[in-house]
Amino acid sequence: MTRVVVAMSGGVDSSVAAALLVEQGYEVIGIMLRLWGEGESAGASTNRCCTLEDMELAYRVADHLGIPFYVLNVADFFKKTVVDFFIAEYLAGRTPNPCLRCNRFVRFDWLLRRAQALGAEFLATGHYARVRQVDGRYQLLRGVDPRKDQSYVLAVLGQAELRHALFPVGEYTKEQVRELARRFGLPVAEKPESQDLCFLSDGDYRAFLRRHAPEALRPGPILDTRGRVLGEHQGLAFYTIGQRRGLGIAAGVPLYVVDLDPERNAVIVGTAEELGRRVALLEGLHFVSGETPLEPFRATVKIRYRAREVPAWILPMPDRRARVIFDEPMRDLTPGQAAVMYEGEVVLGLGIIVRAEREPPPEAMEAIAARAALL
């Protein structure tokens, strides 16, 4: 029997993942990670991925399935790797996605290595995504349910991780997963989902930053694109690209946040016409295949987890950088967010947005034209 560790959270998705693997004949071990939450110092984490209620539910599921179940304390590592990074990015004027970092360093590094130490061949999670092997290489695919697809937050994975990854619920819709939970008799079949960041005790990241990074409250000027002072902001961390409401300024036309300037501690606002950008510069370029293309290529790109995909050209550059040139102007290109690239149902990879530009430089358009002529 092949041994599998299932990352269990006490929710319906990971519980059904464990049940499906037991049904398929795997030797299953359930492990819950105790992550850092704001109540950690009081001895009871408020992290919504591992409350005492969630632990009890996960234990009941494991007992029902007849599998061993353990809780591993990873609070300190999670705090240093995910939460401190989240705070630092906001202080630097960027808007991070901590789920990407958690999947890369906590689940598919820290936990995967411990699963292997237990003799497990695979680590399984309740993510809505799929893995396919083609000619000895592993592909990351979207989940079958487009409303629940979580391939965006797994685009950080590569061949070494996908070789040992299983996503059992990726072949099902959410409704089918709940029906499976009922068929298996699991006590979590009707449990509601939590959509907020797990370590925010009240779901309010601004309040979290006030408590843990008061320096984020440093006021500064709100400037228009010509440099004129229109008002005062309460801290860069409280604003995001594309934001219209809550600016506290009056103007004859609607104004949006078009940029955040950490050097001047300034929020830059402009009209809807000034908001659009066609180019995103990426750093930390990563391809699931492990092979970085040398020539410009076409793909569809998501610039946020819930964003719609848009077609674009990707121009790889030295030092794991790239320039993404979208077919249409984008209104919410946000530094710190990931630009995830797709080819159909296949996840190609990602890069982190570091800057947006209104129009591509001439040499980039020349490279695209040359490449397009060969296709």
Side-chain angles (χ1 to χ4, degrees), residues 6-291:
V6 179
M8 299 184 68
S9 66
V12 63
D13 299 326
S14 61
S15 298
V16 170
L20 286 169
L21 292 170
V22 169
E23 185 178 63
Q24 292 165 17
Y26 288 95
E27 179 190 356
V28 178
I29 299 172
I31 290 182
M32 172 177 273
L33 295 180
R34 185 174 184 272
L35 307 175
W36 182 89
E38 289 190 273
E40 192 69 27
S41 59
S45 172
T46 56
N47 191 300
R48 281 190 292 274
C49 281
C50 51
T51 64
L52 292 176
E53 179 186 1
D54 291 329
M55 291 183 188
E56 173 63 20
L57 283 170
Y59 172 79
R60 288 172 57 193
V61 169
D63 185 60
H64 179 75
L65 297 176
I67 63 173
F69 174 71
Y70 306 96
V71 176
L72 301 183
N73 191 339
V74 70
D76 289 343
F77 181 72
F78 180 83
K79 172 66 163 57
K80 294 175 183 177
T81 305
V82 178
V83 180
D84 290 352
F85 169 81
F86 175 85
I87 294 171
E89 285 291 280
Y90 268 111
L91 291 177
R94 296 183 288 269
T95 304
N97 186 321
C99 296
L100 290 163
R101 195 165 177 87
C102 182
N103 283 326
R104 177 63 188 89
F105 295 106
V106 179
R107 286 191 179 92
F108 285 94
D109 184 7
W110 194 95
L111 180 56
L112 176 58
R113 286 188 284 112
R114 279 150 184 82
Q116 291 171 328
L118 290 172
E121 178 67 22
F122 298 102
L123 171 64
T125 72
H127 285 101
Y128 286 81
R130 295 171 292 154
V131 178
R132 179 172 66 193
Q133 188 175 7
V134 179
D135 297 330
R137 308 291 291 179
Y138 294 87
Q139 294 179 335
L140 175 65
L141 309 179
R142 308 172 190 272
V144 166
D145 188 342
R147 295 172 299 170
K148 292 296 299 178
D149 171 44
Q150 294 172 300
S151 60
Y152 178 94
V153 295
L154 295 170
V156 292
L157 305 184
Q159 295 297 298
E161 294 80 31
L162 292 177
R163 183 176 293 110
H164 301 285
L166 294 176
F167 304 118
V169 302
E171 299 286 348
Y172 300 93
T173 66
K174 184 69 178 191
E175 290 77 12
Q176 290 172 327
V177 167
R178 289 202 182 276
E179 185 55 41
L180 285 169
R182 298 183 191 104
R183 177 168 72 81
F184 287 124
L186 304 180
V188 295
E190 311 305 329
K191 184 180 178 183
E193 297 180 80
S194 175
Q195 300 294 335
D196 296 319
L197 295 178
C198 66
F199 55 85
L200 303 183
S201 62
D202 53 8
D204 186 346
Y205 83 91
R206 293 177 174 88
F208 177 87
L209 291 173
R210 288 190 185 98
R211 293 189 292 269
H212 294 274
E215 59 270 39
L217 303 177
R218 186 162 62 98
I222 298 178
L223 309 175
D224 67 13
T225 53
R226 297 181 182 179
R228 294 177 298 187
V229 178
L230 302 183
E232 183 178 80
H233 68 77
Q234 302 305 307
L236 293 185
F238 301 158
Y239 302 83
T240 187
I241 305 298
Q243 178 178 335
R244 176 183 173 186
R245 300 184 183 277
L247 300 181
I249 55 178
V253 296
L255 295 178
Y256 304 81
V257 176
V258 300
D259 199 8
L260 301 175
D261 187 339
E263 292 187 4
R264 292 186 291 173
N265 188 34
V267 172
I268 314 300
V269 298
T271 63
E273 290 73 21
E274 294 174 305
L275 183 59
R277 300 288 189 273
R278 281 195 62 206
V279 183
L281 295 180
L282 310 182
E283 289 185 352
L285 199 62
H286 162 78
F287 286 92
V288 173
S289 67
E291 300 176 354

